[in-house]
Amino acid sequence: MIKRSFLGVKKPVLKYDFVESEGKEPEQLPRPSSVVLLLDEPLDSTRINLVKTGDQVRENEKIYLYKNSREYVISPIQGEITSIESYPGEFGDIGTYLVVEKSDHERSGDTKTDVVESLAGPSLDTAEKYLKTLPGAPPFDVLAEKGSDIHTIVITGFDPDLMATTRRYFLSNLKEELKEGIRVLKDLTHVPKVAVTVPETVEDRPGFEGMQLMIISGAYPEALPLMIMKNHLNITVPPGKSCVDMGVCFISAEAVIAMARAFRDKTPSFEKVVTVTGKDGSRKTIKAMIGTRISEVFKALNININENDRVIINGPMQGFATFTLSHPVQPSMDSIIVQDVDDIQHISDYPCINCGNCIKICPANIPVNLLVRRLEANMFEDAAEKFDLQSCIECGLCSYVCTARIPLFQYIRLGKHELLQMKAEAETEERNG
Amino acid sequence: MAKRLKLIVSHAPFWHDGGSISKMNLNMILALMPAAIFGIVRFGVPALGVVALGISSAMLFEFLFNLVSRKPVTTGDFDAALIGLLFAMMVPAPTPWWVVVIGTFLAVVIGKQIYGGIGGNPFNPVVLSMAILMVSWPVFFDADAALVNYRFDFKALAPLPALKHQGAGALYHFNAGDLIMGDQIGSIGSIFPLGLLIGGIYLIVRGYIKWEVTVSFIAGLVATAFFFNLANPDSFAGPMIHLFSGYTLLAAFFLVTENSSSPVNFVPMLIYGALGGFLVILIRNVGVYPDGTIFAILLINLLNPLIDTIRPKALGRRVNNA
């Protein structure tokens, strides 16, 4: 953790770590004998379910929970579904997890869709149907749905949050494959403009002809999508709008390579590259199968997790803390950080003391000190209209520097969530007359 | 799912720069120490008594208010201790104990807690308390009268009242060098500008106070005093005398920068500070009070919410002129 420096007159800077991954290959983890697959869809007894415990699945088989489901997972191993349970996420979001235990039992009378046969001809439709769960979580649904509105695709060869080197690994070590992937992606989407984010330390930049190179040189949060929109694309994203609304789609370098491989080999890959940081700050890049429990990752790397430690997924600034070591390696998981119980900084229930640290550091010029007073009082609409709630790029720096240790970032996310909720309710009411 | 190990779950970000209110306040107290210790050495045991009583009674009032209002006890953030110390440093050494107790009560309860505690006060608590006391019992705050029983090896005359009553002619007693080194009389903590400078610069370097406010306050004060002096050198003292006498430096580093009652945006901080410096000199030179610092700060506190609306456009917002 980076602490406040003795000299505090300058605002703190969280430098990206530009040290190369030294071309070292990630450590390959063994294939697990059982996998956990997460689906972003709650259990619903009123719908017609397509899978149940005890079902046999084949390798590369696509699994839908219910009829008419849009969310799917692809099983990386052959085996038997041993449990289907709810998985609570953030803000009361409920997902579902499936556990697949490896078995050699062949299933007869096969009728379910197989991914392998469908990958014969590369198309966006196929990609959306079968490749959404590739390592790197490519946003094919966005591309398929809004394909014509997207005018720029940004390939992120640099990890937006700190303590991750996953995307950089693909950019520096698998450049040829990345170029090939970009070619395939261009053919699929016909998007006129492709840009690549590149860390300043990558010397060997040529080779991305016809693409805009976005050099990331400064400190966090420069590599966050909204900062790239502002600094490199000169596009103003109005409050409440997303990058996709403005016609820009971000895809990680890993996803692009995984897609190219899937079309080339006619089979999806499940090898996810993850940067794991231990309690002592030692960093290791691993390659694990999607669905591997993180407890197995820790076992392989000899990291001991004790009671009350914190396991952070996807970065110290924007990520989330998991409550279980059975959390699987997911397509979108770029980093895992383990914090010792003694290293955890606690938040407080103090009010804002108006010290101004957040104002100095906010890259979006939000009056955080005034905003938080509204958010604490549940004045979400006021917060959005007058105090720029929707301009937040969710970098988390305000919480990082807060003297009163207010969970500012969480207040902001809660505020945005509540606004969405209110909007949805208003729409339902309107529809119902 | 496998074994049940309890992990700590919280929300992003998972890092913090390690700063906290208590660390900030302890640093403020540390920065006040050179001036406070100098005052105690100069004025002896009575000064020590006032400082000790100020800090302890302020913390006690905070604790009692926490009990009465059934809120968590907040004395551990040292905010009350800082208020008590600052208050004690602003009164002369022989101040009666009951004035100190009333003062810290006004500062902690009336100045801070009734607005909801730390961060809620529209005025600097210490300054508010001082203003009430100075209006109610002006006699205790006349350093010349209060310190009449002390013997000093320099001209025992408070610079600002002398200036007020005798005009700039009285100034041959003083030179900036002696004033900086503490050869002046006044309140416990304001007579040693060098100590205040060291403490204040320490706080600026550590980033615990808003340097923009301090710098513009001093700039505003020096500029205004300079022009007054330029216009009429017989009645108005030069900027150096104003800078190193009275509450000026205590205010510049520790009072106008008080978080809750000062702005947070860059331009407003500059305006706020400069306006404060301007008002101090205006009251000193034109008003009836020898030292206008207290009322000048109250006035800019009042303007703070208005000034602080000048802020940059947030990301993605366009200028919407009505």
PDB file of all heavy atoms in Angstrom, chain B residues 16 48 64 90 101 113 124 145 168 198 229-230 276 291 294 297 305 310:
ATOM      1  N   HIS B  16      -5.497   3.225   1.458  1.00  0.00           N
ATOM      2  CA  HIS B  16      -5.720   4.565   1.993  1.00  0.00           C
ATOM      3  C   HIS B  16      -4.347   5.160   2.233  1.00  0.00           C
ATOM      4  O   HIS B  16      -3.408   4.431   2.532  1.00  0.00           O
ATOM      5  CB  HIS B  16      -6.533   4.487   3.286  1.00  0.00           C
ATOM      6  CG  HIS B  16      -7.038   5.826   3.732  1.00  0.00           C
ATOM      7  ND1 HIS B  16      -6.272   6.673   4.483  1.00  0.00           N
ATOM      8  CD2 HIS B  16      -8.195   6.471   3.488  1.00  0.00           C
ATOM      9  CE1 HIS B  16      -6.968   7.782   4.695  1.00  0.00           C
ATOM     10  NE2 HIS B  16      -8.127   7.699   4.103  1.00  0.00           N
ATOM     11  N   LEU B  48       1.317  28.454  31.816  1.00  0.00           N
ATOM     12  CA  LEU B  48       1.180  26.998  31.794  1.00  0.00           C
ATOM     13  C   LEU B  48      -0.199  26.600  32.299  1.00  0.00           C
ATOM     14  O   LEU B  48      -0.867  25.733  31.729  1.00  0.00           O
ATOM     15  CB  LEU B  48       2.274  26.365  32.658  1.00  0.00           C
ATOM     16  CG  LEU B  48       2.268  24.840  32.715  1.00  0.00           C
ATOM     17  CD1 LEU B  48       2.572  24.262  31.344  1.00  0.00           C
ATOM     18  CD2 LEU B  48       3.274  24.332  33.741  1.00  0.00           C
ATOM     19  N   LEU B  64     -18.416  15.827  27.577  1.00  0.00           N
ATOM     20  CA  LEU B  64     -19.741  15.985  28.178  1.00  0.00           C
ATOM     21  C   LEU B  64     -20.803  16.153  27.098  1.00  0.00           C
ATOM     22  O   LEU B  64     -21.886  15.578  27.181  1.00  0.00           O
ATOM     23  CB  LEU B  64     -19.754  17.206  29.115  1.00  0.00           C
ATOM     24  CG  LEU B  64     -18.943  17.031  30.396  1.00  0.00           C
ATOM     25  CD1 LEU B  64     -18.969  18.315  31.219  1.00  0.00           C
ATOM     26  CD2 LEU B  64     -19.478  15.859  31.215  1.00  0.00           C
ATOM     27  N   MET B  90      -4.378  32.307  22.708  1.00  0.00           N
ATOM     28  CA  MET B  90      -4.853  33.612  22.255  1.00  0.00           C
ATOM     29  C   MET B  90      -5.206  34.547  23.399  1.00  0.00           C
ATOM     30  O   MET B  90      -5.637  35.676  23.168  1.00  0.00           O
ATOM     31  CB  MET B  90      -6.059  33.436  21.329  1.00  0.00           C
ATOM     32  CG  MET B  90      -5.666  32.785  20.011  1.00  0.00           C
ATOM     33  SD  MET B  90      -7.037  32.633  18.894  1.00  0.00           S
ATOM     34  CE  MET B  90      -7.275  34.324  18.435  1.00  0.00           C
ATOM     35  N   VAL B 101     -12.452  28.868  31.052  1.00  0.00           N
ATOM     36  CA  VAL B 101     -13.467  27.813  30.986  1.00  0.00           C
ATOM     37  C   VAL B 101     -14.654  28.256  30.133  1.00  0.00           C
ATOM     38  O   VAL B 101     -15.141  27.499  29.281  1.00  0.00           O
ATOM     39  CB  VAL B 101     -13.906  27.421  32.420  1.00  0.00           C
ATOM     40  CG1 VAL B 101     -15.085  26.471  32.368  1.00  0.00           C
ATOM     41  CG2 VAL B 101     -12.742  26.781  33.160  1.00  0.00           C
ATOM     42  N   GLN B 113     -19.885  22.098  18.488  1.00  0.00           N
ATOM     43  CA  GLN B 113     -20.760  20.937  18.651  1.00  0.00           C
ATOM     44  C   GLN B 113     -22.211  21.187  18.268  1.00  0.00           C
ATOM     45  O   GLN B 113     -22.860  20.285  17.738  1.00  0.00           O
ATOM     46  CB  GLN B 113     -20.678  20.408  20.085  1.00  0.00           C
ATOM     47  CG  GLN B 113     -19.376  19.691  20.396  1.00  0.00           C
ATOM     48  CD  GLN B 113     -19.222  18.385  19.644  1.00  0.00           C
ATOM     49  OE1 GLN B 113     -20.096  17.970  18.889  1.00  0.00           O
ATOM     50  NE2 GLN B 113     -18.089  17.747  19.823  1.00  0.00           N
ATOM     51  N   ASN B 124     -14.940  29.590  12.598  1.00  0.00           N
ATOM     52  CA  ASN B 124     -13.855  28.997  13.357  1.00  0.00           C
ATOM     53  C   ASN B 124     -14.228  29.047  14.839  1.00  0.00           C
ATOM     54  O   ASN B 124     -14.469  30.119  15.375  1.00  0.00           O
ATOM     55  CB  ASN B 124     -12.573  29.801  13.096  1.00  0.00           C
ATOM     56  CG  ASN B 124     -11.375  29.186  13.769  1.00  0.00           C
ATOM     57  OD1 ASN B 124     -11.485  28.631  14.857  1.00  0.00           O
ATOM     58  ND2 ASN B 124     -10.248  29.272  13.126  1.00  0.00           N
ATOM     59  N   ALA B 145      -2.713  45.973  30.130  1.00  0.00           N
ATOM     60  CA  ALA B 145      -3.286  45.992  31.472  1.00  0.00           C
ATOM     61  C   ALA B 145      -3.068  44.653  32.164  1.00  0.00           C
ATOM     62  O   ALA B 145      -2.731  44.597  33.342  1.00  0.00           O
ATOM     63  CB  ALA B 145      -4.775  46.310  31.383  1.00  0.00           C
ATOM     64  N   ALA B 168       1.651  55.990  14.322  1.00  0.00           N
ATOM     65  CA  ALA B 168       2.883  55.333  13.909  1.00  0.00           C
ATOM     66  C   ALA B 168       4.096  55.885  14.638  1.00  0.00           C
ATOM     67  O   ALA B 168       5.160  55.284  14.637  1.00  0.00           O
ATOM     68  CB  ALA B 168       3.067  55.468  12.397  1.00  0.00           C
ATOM     69  N   ILE B 198       7.852  28.729  11.983  1.00  0.00           N
ATOM     70  CA  ILE B 198       8.415  27.380  11.862  1.00  0.00           C
ATOM     71  C   ILE B 198       7.286  26.348  11.857  1.00  0.00           C
ATOM     72  O   ILE B 198       7.212  25.484  10.994  1.00  0.00           O
ATOM     73  CB  ILE B 198       9.394  27.107  13.037  1.00  0.00           C
ATOM     74  CG1 ILE B 198      10.616  28.018  12.903  1.00  0.00           C
ATOM     75  CG2 ILE B 198       9.798  25.643  13.068  1.00  0.00           C
ATOM     76  CD1 ILE B 198      11.532  27.980  14.118  1.00  0.00           C
ATOM     77  N   ASN B 229       0.402  52.447   4.499  1.00  0.00           N
ATOM     78  CA  ASN B 229       1.640  53.084   4.938  1.00  0.00           C
ATOM     79  C   ASN B 229       2.142  54.088   3.915  1.00  0.00           C
ATOM     80  O   ASN B 229       2.617  55.174   4.234  1.00  0.00           O
ATOM     81  CB  ASN B 229       2.677  51.986   5.200  1.00  0.00           C
ATOM     82  CG  ASN B 229       3.993  52.564   5.714  1.00  0.00           C
ATOM     83  OD1 ASN B 229       5.006  52.474   5.040  1.00  0.00           O
ATOM     84  ND2 ASN B 229       3.965  53.177   6.887  1.00  0.00           N
ATOM     85  N   LEU B 230       1.982  53.723   2.657  1.00  0.00           N
ATOM     86  CA  LEU B 230       2.424  54.582   1.558  1.00  0.00           C
ATOM     87  C   LEU B 230       1.610  55.870   1.550  1.00  0.00           C
ATOM     88  O   LEU B 230       2.143  56.968   1.339  1.00  0.00           O
ATOM     89  CB  LEU B 230       2.222  53.819   0.233  1.00  0.00           C
ATOM     90  CG  LEU B 230       3.092  54.206  -0.935  1.00  0.00           C
ATOM     91  CD1 LEU B 230       4.549  53.899  -0.624  1.00  0.00           C
ATOM     92  CD2 LEU B 230       2.647  53.431  -2.184  1.00  0.00           C
ATOM     93  N   GLY B 276      -9.323  38.192   3.783  1.00  0.00           N
ATOM     94  CA  GLY B 276      -9.048  38.180   5.221  1.00  0.00           C
ATOM     95  C   GLY B 276      -7.920  39.128   5.565  1.00  0.00           C
ATOM     96  O   GLY B 276      -8.044  39.957   6.481  1.00  0.00           O
ATOM     97  N   ASP B 291      -6.571  45.133  17.211  1.00  0.00           N
ATOM     98  CA  ASP B 291      -6.255  43.972  16.376  1.00  0.00           C
ATOM     99  C   ASP B 291      -7.533  43.465  15.729  1.00  0.00           C
ATOM    100  O   ASP B 291      -8.426  42.960  16.396  1.00  0.00           O
ATOM    101  CB  ASP B 291      -5.626  42.865  17.229  1.00  0.00           C
ATOM    102  CG  ASP B 291      -5.068  41.755  16.367  1.00  0.00           C
ATOM    103  OD1 ASP B 291      -5.352  41.771  15.139  1.00  0.00           O
ATOM    104  OD2 ASP B 291      -4.367  40.896  16.892  1.00  0.00           O
ATOM    105  N   ILE B 294      -9.636  38.915  14.704  1.00  0.00           N
ATOM    106  CA  ILE B 294     -10.774  38.087  15.098  1.00  0.00           C
ATOM    107  C   ILE B 294     -12.003  38.401  14.238  1.00  0.00           C
ATOM    108  O   ILE B 294     -12.619  37.492  13.659  1.00  0.00           O
ATOM    109  CB  ILE B 294     -11.106  38.347  16.585  1.00  0.00           C
ATOM    110  CG1 ILE B 294      -9.913  37.932  17.455  1.00  0.00           C
ATOM    111  CG2 ILE B 294     -12.373  37.633  17.002  1.00  0.00           C
ATOM    112  CD1 ILE B 294      -9.587  36.487  17.405  1.00  0.00           C
ATOM    113  N   ILE B 297     -11.681  37.456  10.523  1.00  0.00           N
ATOM    114  CA  ILE B 297     -11.873  36.029  10.236  1.00  0.00           C
ATOM    115  C   ILE B 297     -13.354  35.667  10.285  1.00  0.00           C
ATOM    116  O   ILE B 297     -13.854  34.920   9.447  1.00  0.00           O
ATOM    117  CB  ILE B 297     -11.054  35.162  11.220  1.00  0.00           C
ATOM    118  CG1 ILE B 297      -9.559  35.418  11.001  1.00  0.00           C
ATOM    119  CG2 ILE B 297     -11.362  33.686  11.019  1.00  0.00           C
ATOM    120  CD1 ILE B 297      -8.676  34.695  11.973  1.00  0.00           C
ATOM    121  N   PRO B 305     -19.122  30.175   2.218  1.00  0.00           N
ATOM    122  CA  PRO B 305     -19.962  29.346   1.339  1.00  0.00           C
ATOM    123  C   PRO B 305     -20.227  30.007  -0.008  1.00  0.00           C
ATOM    124  O   PRO B 305     -20.322  29.346  -1.036  1.00  0.00           O
ATOM    125  CB  PRO B 305     -21.268  29.189   2.126  1.00  0.00           C
ATOM    126  CG  PRO B 305     -20.957  29.573   3.516  1.00  0.00           C
ATOM    127  CD  PRO B 305     -19.808  30.520   3.469  1.00  0.00           C
ATOM    128  N   ILE B 310     -17.413  29.254  -6.536  1.00  0.00           N
ATOM    129  CA  ILE B 310     -16.602  29.407  -7.747  1.00  0.00           C
ATOM    130  C   ILE B 310     -15.788  28.135  -7.889  1.00  0.00           C
ATOM    131  O   ILE B 310     -14.832  27.905  -7.147  1.00  0.00           O
ATOM    132  CB  ILE B 310     -15.642  30.604  -7.632  1.00  0.00           C
ATOM    133  CG1 ILE B 310     -16.407  31.870  -7.285  1.00  0.00           C
ATOM    134  CG2 ILE B 310     -14.840  30.778  -8.923  1.00  0.00           C
ATOM    135  CD1 ILE B 310     -15.504  33.022  -6.945  1.00  0.00           C
TER     136      ILE B 310
END
